């Protein structure tokens, strides 16, 4: 007869064999690995990049009494406080850089939220490409030297000289490195405002056409630029195309924004620059917040009146600031004037020095040379 303990012993032995068997199976079984077709783990973007591309939402608050300027820390002059539509922080119009001349229409972003960059360095090759400087021979471009212009003036009668004052061509800096620095300062200012350089009036489809710019449409007529002054203008344009720019620097001021100062002495009646930009009808820009529009044609028919808009294209004239013509101190700063001329049947605007300008002196002119519609009481 089988012993009583034999059944339990057999069961235990079989259990041990099963455990050993299963254990051996676990030891020899290869570990599970994810298939090669599974997608790699997602890479998360940094928060700064996400916030830079995120759409901003305007959140209206019930009370804005506690808003203060992030630059000066003051909550005074609430009529000049601007709220950024992205970070909802306050800034005085004169505290941001560059300053805001008038209350913008629509949304407004502070310099930090709009990612504005002020400084950009330009190499010599980039400056040449940016301004499209041409290397021309003297035979290819008609060149009229300053000495030749002086000789021609001496030949005129003295009485005629007293009747009319002629334009003088600007005298470029003799040092080429100095001229590169001057052009580099202008290129930096233009790229900061996301503008292209243009030394001519531009006619863009959808705006005014060139045929609309007729001096004969001017209400009351427009003065014609004399032949000799036209030659001086063409001389200056030819020099600019060769990279011989006027001795001017574009500098950044914390109160005035970008402004222009003389890098050498400039004589009275010297041609400074022509005011350039996109030509458009005034009726299309009545609610535009561009702070540098210039009257080009004031027609008898208001629907034909034209303005120059240097918001996308322009030159150094875009950065010459205006005076506060509501104060005696502001009027004393004026050393340039803006004049509209009939040149070959078209309206053109040029800036001319009205006194001797010393090196380091900033250039100013009266924005309201013809109409007194532009608000200048807040100018510094």
């Amino acid at each position: 007869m089988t012993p009583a303990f034999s059944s339990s012993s057999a069961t235990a032995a079989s259990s041990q064999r099963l455990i050993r068997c299963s254990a051996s199976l676990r030891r020899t079984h290869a570990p599970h690995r994810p298939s090669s077709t599974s997608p790699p783990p997602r890479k998360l973007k940094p928060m700064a990049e996400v916030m830079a591309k995120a759409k901003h939402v305007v959140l209206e608050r019930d009370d804005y009494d506690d808003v203060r300027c992030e630059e000066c820390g003051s909550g005074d002059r609430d009529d000049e406080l601007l709220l950024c539509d992205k970070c909802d922080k306050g800034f005085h119009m004169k505290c941001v850089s560059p300053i805001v001349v008038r209350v913008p229409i629509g949304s407004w972003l502070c310099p930090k939220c709009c990612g504005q960059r002020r400084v950009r360095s330009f190499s010599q090759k980039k400056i040449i490409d940016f301004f499209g400087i041409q290397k021309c021979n003297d035979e290819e471009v008609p060149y009229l030297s300053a000495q030749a212009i002086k000789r021609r003036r001496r030949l005129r009668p003295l009485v005629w000289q007293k009747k009319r004052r002629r334009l003088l061509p600007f005298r470029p800096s003799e040092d080429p490195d100095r001229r590169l620095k001057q052009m580099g300062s202008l290129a930096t200012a233009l790229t900061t405002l996301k503008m292209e350089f243009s030394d001519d009036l531009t006619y863009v489809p959808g705006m005014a056409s060139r045929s609309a710019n007729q001096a004969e449409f001017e209400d009351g007529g427009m003065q014609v630029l004399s032949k000799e002054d036209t030659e001086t203008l063409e001389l200056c344009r030819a020099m600019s195309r060769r990279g011989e720019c006027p001795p001017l620097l574009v500098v950044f001021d914390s109160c005035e924004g970008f402004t222009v100062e003389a890098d050498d002495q400039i004589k009275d009646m010297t041609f400074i620059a022509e005011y350039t930009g996109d030509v458009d009808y005034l009726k299309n820009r009545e609610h535009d917040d561009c702070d540098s529009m210039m009257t080009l044609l004031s027609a008898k028919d208001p629907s034909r009146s034209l303005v120059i808009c240097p918001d996308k294209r322009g030159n150094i004239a875009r950065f010459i600031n205006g005076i506060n013509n509501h104060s005696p101190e502001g009027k004393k700063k004026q050393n340039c004037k803006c004049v509209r001329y009939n040149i070959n049947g078209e309206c053109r605007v040029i800036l001319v020095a009205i006194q001797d300008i010393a090196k380091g002196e900033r250039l100013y002119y009266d924005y309201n040379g013809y109409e007194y519609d532009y608000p200048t009481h807040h100018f510094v």
Side-chain angles (χ1 to χ4, degrees):
M1 188 173 73
T2 307
F5 61 87
S6 63
S7 174
S8 59
S9 299
T11 304
S14 62
S15 299
Q16 290 178 357
R17 283 196 299 271
L18 286 173
I19 291 172
R20 291 193 195 99
C21 181
S22 60
S24 63
L25 286 174
R26 282 199 298 269
R27 283 195 297 269
T28 58
H29 183 66
H32 175 71
R33 294 179 180 176
S35 61
S36 59
T37 58
S38 60
R42 293 186 61 184
K43 205 171 185 181
L44 299 179
K45 296 181 179 179
M47 183 57 67
E49 183 179 349
V50 174
M51 293 300 295
K53 296 182 179 180
K55 295 182 178 180
H56 65 274
V57 179
V58 179
L59 299 177
E60 297 291 343
R61 294 192 290 182
D62 296 333
D63 188 11
Y64 289 92
D65 294 338
D66 59 340
V67 175
R68 296 182 177 274
C69 177
E70 295 294 320
E71 298 293 334
C72 67
S74 172
D76 299 335
R77 307 191 313 276
D78 55 351
D79 57 327
E80 298 182 6
L81 269 175
L82 300 177
L83 284 177
C84 176
D85 289 324
K86 191 170 185 179
C87 64
D88 208 33
K89 295 179 180 179
F91 298 87
H92 280 124
M93 297 169 64
K94 296 180 182 179
C95 291
V96 293
S97 299
I99 63 173
V100 180
V101 178
R102 60 176 64 178
V103 178
I105 300 173
S107 61
W108 177 79
L109 300 180
C110 66
K112 183 178 180 180
C113 290
C114 69
Q116 194 173 30
R117 295 182 180 180
R118 296 183 193 166
V119 180
R120 178 182 172 183
S121 59
F122 284 82
S123 63
Q124 178 178 352
K125 184 179 183 304
K126 287 183 178 179
I127 291 175
I128 293 174
D129 294 340
F130 185 86
F131 292 101
I133 297 173
Q134 303 171 2
K135 295 182 179 180
C136 303
N137 298 325
D138 292 339
E139 294 80 9
E140 297 176 358
V141 177
Y143 185 83
L144 188 62
S145 65
Q147 290 78 9
I149 292 177
K150 288 180 180 179
R151 286 196 298 270
R152 291 174 57 184
R153 286 202 174 91
R154 293 194 194 103
L155 296 175
R156 293 200 307 265
L158 182 61
V159 177
W160 181 253
Q161 288 185 17
K162 290 183 177 179
K163 284 184 178 179
R164 294 195 59 127
R165 302 175 67 195
R166 300 297 181 182
L167 285 179
L168 296 176
F170 58 77
R171 297 183 61 182
S173 301
E174 295 181 0
D175 185 5
D177 293 335
R178 196 66 189 169
R179 295 201 300 266
L180 285 175
K181 182 178 180 181
Q182 295 161 3
M183 290 186 289
S185 67
L186 174 58
T188 299
L190 289 171
T191 52
T192 300
L193 299 185
K194 300 178 181 179
M195 292 176 55
E196 298 177 4
F197 172 76
S198 176
D199 227 7
D200 300 287
L201 295 176
T202 50
Y203 301 91
V204 182
M207 299 186 188
S209 61
R210 186 163 189 171
S211 60
N213 183 11
Q214 300 292 329
E216 61 184 13
F217 297 153
E218 175 72 16
D219 187 11
M222 183 177 293
Q223 56 184 328
V224 180
L225 191 66
S226 66
K227 181 181 178 181
E228 291 186 352
D229 288 345
T230 302
E231 290 176 354
T232 302
L233 176 63
E234 292 304 320
L235 164 64
C236 294
R237 289 170 59 86
M239 287 193 296
S240 297
R241 288 193 292 268
R242 293 196 298 267
E244 299 173 6
C245 59
L248 301 171
L249 277 173
V250 183
V251 297
F252 187 84
D253 185 271
S254 58
C255 294
E256 299 182 8
F258 287 111
T259 186
V260 179
E261 68 179 29
D263 200 32
D264 204 346
Q265 184 179 7
I266 300 175
K267 292 185 177 181
D268 184 17
M269 287 301 296
T270 297
F271 170 80
I272 302 297
E274 180 180 354
Y275 209 93
T276 63
D278 296 340
V279 179
D280 199 0
Y281 290 104
L282 176 61
K283 61 184 179 181
N284 297 339
R285 299 281 181 155
E286 290 180 344
H287 303 289
D288 200 311
D289 60 348
C290 177
D291 61 349
S292 300
M293 283 191 298
M294 174 66 67
T295 301
L296 178 63
L297 172 63
S298 182
K300 299 177 183 178
D301 182 1
S303 63
R304 289 186 171 184
S305 296
L306 302 175
V307 290
I308 304 173
C309 309
D311 49 356
K312 295 182 180 179
R313 281 162 284 271
N315 58 6
I316 199 166
R318 163 69 174 80
F319 302 102
I320 301 178
N321 287 335
I323 63 168
N324 184 341
N325 53 20
H326 295 271
S327 68
E329 294 298 324
K331 294 180 179 179
K332 290 180 182 178
K333 295 164 63 175
Q334 182 178 359
N335 50 20
C336 299
K337 68 176 179 180
C338 178
V339 191
R340 293 186 295 150
Y341 280 110
N342 175 354
I343 304 177
N344 299 325
E346 293 184 346
C347 304
R348 305 265 284 275
V349 182
I350 63 174
L351 292 170
V352 183
I354 59 173
Q355 65 185 42
D356 291 343
I357 303 175
K359 181 178 180 180
E361 185 178 349
R362 293 185 177 178
L363 276 62
Y364 296 95
Y365 71 101
D366 190 356
Y367 280 4
N368 292 311
Y370 299 94
E371 307 87 5
Y372 287 86
D373 297 335
Y374 196 89
T376 63
H377 59 278
H378 59 279
F379 283 14
V380 294

